[in-house]
Each structure stands twice: as structure tokens, then as C-alpha cells.
Amino acid sequence: MRFRSLHFVRMAGQRPVWLAILSCVVALVSGCLSTAAAQPKQERHRLRDLGIVVGQYSPGPLNAITDIAGVKVGHTTLISGEGPLQPGQGPIRTGVTVVIPRDDVWHKKVPAGSFVLNGTGEMTGLAWIAESGFLEYPIALTNTLNVPRVANGVMSWMIKQYPDIGISDDTLTPIVAECDDGRLNDIQGRHVSEQNVMTALESATSGPVAEGTVGAGTGMVAYGFKGGIGTSSRKLFEKEGGYTVGVLVNANHGRRQELLASGVPVGKLYDPPQQVSEATVPGQSEGSIIIVIATDAPLDGRQLARLAKRAALGLARTGSTVRHGSGDFILAFSTANVIPHYPKDPTYNLTHLSDTHLNPLFTATVEATEEAILNALTMATTVTGRDNHRIEAIDLSRLKTLLSGSR
């Protein structure tokens, strides 16, 4: 069969439901959307819209990583083709998601730290973050085999912004994190292009963040349900500094029986799945999760690495046991300070929060991570991909019933 190309660009300020409907209408009129990609309308809601509240702290206005002033998120979503896998051609269910810490982050670097919970995967550029304690370019998320191409896209975008890179200025080592979307996508095709990455970067906004089956999350599976992009935030009480923590995840991890929501063993209580989507034999993916944390609290690289470790507890609250084949990478940055590119003076000043005041931020990170993962599940839509593999979105009515029955 012949695969026709259809590329959806989803911007951070657009909600996935109405944008998906609009994209489907346009594509059907032009005759370039496969029936598998044209899923029926799927009404989806965020966790709090279902009346499910996680943790003690309240979220920011957007309940998203973009509640941190200056942070932008962009997506490019690629969906085309249906039926049997034809390696290199399709079906395509993939994309790229980018997080920009702030405008001109190259010259106004942000302190950063990371934590690798289980290393069966890749987040490039972590060695330089560990050495320098800062982040100086956007973060990109995509699928495993697309890492080099996405890195090329980030470099091309950076060179366009800063033409002296590699000539009279430093070179760069992009931050690209991956999860395996091969259960739904023709991953060998490496369909995310440099232009797709640049489009995501150029369209990134500081508004509401599209979640679920979007960008890098298009082909992801979490806890045996359709997974993908999720986000959440927490604002500390004024007496604790009033700081905000925002989290964005690409959820592609866990097995059905593990899933917890608000402490309830949803995975065990849920109706048996029609299709076993979890990997069950050696050599198949055990899934992964990428977690990006942003905060406006004045933390240095060492403290941000400590913050990144606490996200693992939020992951555990959703039931993950971080299996042998899982890649669990966490990156945290703070926008509170500016680290200059080439400081003229030998010293510069940074505001630094005392370690004894970190506990509220730790708690906020745990809560926001837990809710971001659950938002990825509740916002994701059912997807049929390669070889007609169909991954169902979690049934929201069933989820509410299970949670209300536990109270």
C-alpha cells in the first residue's frame, strides 16, 4: 500500500481534542488521512476535571510546566498510514516535544541538575549538565531511533538563532531524551525531520500545554493504556516562599497491574484488557518515562539534582517499579537565576535557597509528577497503529467509578 504523509503541528496553547477534530476534518477533505488515524471523537479530561485531587498543594493557574514564567512548550505530531508495518514507510505515529527554559537561554543559562533512575535509554547532554551545573538550550523529547535527527534539528535551530556557534562561539551538545514508540509506530523510519523539530521550537508557547496523544507522546503506552505527554504544577504557600514547581512527562512505562491512582490499585481493579500491550518477552521494550521539572525557586545544580530524585517518588506513587528494561531520566532546571554566557567579571551573584527550606519543594515535585503522569493517561486518546495494534485510552467513567468506590 502507499502511505501518504500527514503532519499535525500541535502548539502548546491548543487543546488536543478540538485540534484533533479540526485536523481530521481538513485532512479528510484533502483525502490524505487514513481511517486508522481518523479516530472517532474521544472526550478526554484532565485528572482534576474528573474531581480527582492529588496532594496537598494547589496547582498554578495552568496546572502545567508553563506556570513557570518564561517556560515554553511546543509539539509536532506525525500521524499517517494504516495497516501492516512497512519499515521505513509507516504507519507513522510519532512526533517531537520541546521545552524551552526561557528566551535566549544560550546567553542567559539556567541552573540544572539531573537524575537517572534506570538507564535503559538515553538523554543526551547530561555529562555537560553534571559538569557545568547549567542548561543552555532547549530540551527535546522524541522516539529512540530519532535521537540523532532531533539533535540535528535542535542544532540547526540554535545555529539559526546564534550564527556564531562553532565559529567564534562555543559548540553545543543538545539535550534529547527518548522513549520507544515501536509498538504503534514505524520507528525504523525515523520520521521526525529537522524541520519538524524546528517547527516545534518556533511554535512553542507559554500557554496551556496539549497533553496525551501529541508530539513525542503520540505513539507511547503507559500502564497498558495509551500514554504520552502529561503536565502539572504546584505552588507553595507564601510562608514557604510561594515558589512554583512544574513538571512535564512523556509516559511510556509500567504494566497494567501496577497502576495506582490516588493510592487505589486501578490496574488490578480495571476490566481485563482486550489486548496485552505490555512487553512480555526478552528483547521487547519495558517502556520508559522522561520527566522534566522546572521551578522558579532559586536552586543551584546540586539542589536541582536532589529535586530530580524526588520525582522518582511521584513515579512510584503511580505504581511503577522501574523495571530492568525501563529508561527513567529526570532533568530539573530553575529560572530564578541567570548564569551569563561569557561573564566579563570574574565573579557574579546568584541567589541561593537554603537546603533547610527545600522540603516543600520536594513535596511539590512528588505531587506534580504523580499528577502529570495521570494527566497523560486521562488526556490520551485511543490509537490504532502499525499492524493494526490498538492501544485503548483509559476509560474515564470506569476510572471515576473505581476511585469513588474506594472512598
Side-chain angles (χ1 to χ4, degrees):
M1 65 176 291
R2 182 164 59 102
F3 288 91
R4 297 170 179 172
S5 175
L6 173 65
H7 294 175
F8 293 142
V9 177
R10 293 186 177 181
M11 299 183 186
Q14 297 170 316
R15 286 297 181 197
V17 173
W18 72 262
L19 182 56
I21 295 171
L22 177 62
S23 299
C24 289
V25 171
V26 173
L28 284 170
V29 170
S30 63
C32 62
L33 177 60
S34 70
T35 56
Q39 300 285 351
K41 178 181 178 181
Q42 301 174 49
E43 192 71 26
R44 307 301 290 172
H45 299 282
R46 307 187 79 193
L47 195 69
R48 286 180 182 254
D49 295 335
L50 300 174
I52 304 167
V53 176
V54 171
Q56 62 176 313
Y57 288 110
S58 298
L62 299 173
N63 193 15
I65 195 171
T66 47
D67 281 320
I68 312 303
V71 175
K72 297 179 180 180
V73 176
H75 305 287
T76 299
T77 300
L78 307 180
I79 299 175
S80 68
E82 62 178 322
L85 173 66
Q86 296 188 26
Q89 299 183 54
I92 301 170
R93 305 286 186 271
T94 195
V96 61
T97 294
V98 297
V99 178
I100 302 176
R102 65 163 155 237
D103 290 339
D104 197 13
V105 70
W106 180 244
H107 290 129
K108 300 175 182 178
K109 307 177 195 304
V110 293
S114 66
F115 178 61
V116 179
L117 183 59
N118 197 67
T120 312
E122 182 61 89
M123 179 182 279
T124 65
L126 293 188
W128 177 230
I129 288 176
E131 188 72 22
S132 67
F134 60 69
L135 175 65
E136 53 188 344
Y137 12 79
I139 303 156
L141 314 180
T142 190
N143 73 50
T144 309
L145 297 187
N146 247 122
V147 169
R149 292 190 177 184
V150 170
N152 281 340
V154 173
M155 286 188 284
S156 294
W157 185 81
M158 287 290 294
I159 290 170
K160 180 180 177 182
Q161 308 298 313
Y162 308 99
D164 289 334
I165 285 177
I167 301 174
S168 59
D169 203 347
D170 277 341
T171 56
L172 68 152
T173 54
I175 306 295
V176 183
E178 55 80 23
C179 293
D180 182 358
D181 60 13
R183 283 172 282 189
L184 289 169
N185 175 53
D186 166 34
I187 195 167
Q188 277 195 12
R190 293 163 286 166
H191 297 285
V192 181
S193 68
E194 286 191 39
Q195 185 56 55
N196 294 147
V197 179
M198 295 177 74
T199 297
L201 288 163
E202 290 164 1
S203 66
T205 70
S206 57
V209 177
E211 298 174 275
T213 308
V214 63
T218 303
M220 303 302 171
V221 181
Y223 294 114
F225 299 102
K226 184 65 186 70
I229 300 296
T231 189
S232 184
S233 69
R234 291 293 184 276
K235 185 173 178 59
L236 302 190
F237 303 122
E238 288 304 319
K239 65 180 181 181
E240 297 169 335
Y243 304 116
T244 300
V245 175
V247 172
L248 182 139
V249 305
N250 191 20
N252 190 52
H253 66 285
R255 297 191 174 192
R256 177 71 61 90
Q257 293 297 305
E258 296 176 336
L259 177 62
L260 301 174
S262 294
V264 178
V266 170
K268 292 181 179 179
L269 298 173
Y270 199 89
D271 290 335
Q274 297 298 310
Q275 170 186 328
V276 178
S277 58
E278 302 91 338
T280 55
V281 298
Q284 286 185 293
S285 171
E286 290 280 7
S288 300
I289 185 169
I290 304 301
I291 303 173
V292 179
I293 305 165
T295 184
D296 56 10
L299 308 183
D300 64 15
R302 176 187 60 82
Q303 292 172 317
L304 288 160
R306 297 185 70 195
L307 203 69
K309 291 178 182 178
R310 271 58 183 188
L313 300 179
L315 173 61
R317 285 190 180 186
T318 65
S320 173
T321 57
V322 189
R323 300 178 64 85
H324 164 70
S326 184
D328 309 279
F329 292 80
I330 308 165
L331 176 62
F333 64 86
S334 167
T335 61
N337 285 298
V338 172
I339 298 176
H341 189 49
Y342 290 134
K344 295 180 180 179
D345 298 322
T347 63
Y348 56 90
N349 295 324
L350 299 176
T351 303
H352 190 281
L353 187 68
S354 169
D355 280 5
T356 56
H357 291 268
L358 286 175
N359 285 335
L361 291 169
F362 289 162
T363 301
T365 299
V366 173
E367 291 182 8
T369 302
E370 179 183 8
E371 186 165 340
I373 293 168
L374 295 175
N375 278 338
L377 290 169
T378 62
M379 287 299 290
T381 53
T382 297
V383 170
T384 301
R386 53 162 284 199
D387 299 320
N388 294 315
H389 290 168
R390 180 180 175 88
I391 304 299
E392 298 284 343
I394 193 168
D395 186 289
L396 300 185
S397 296
R398 180 72 174 139
L399 176 62
K400 287 181 67 175
T401 298
L402 291 174
L403 293 177
S404 62
S406 69
R407 294 169 182 166

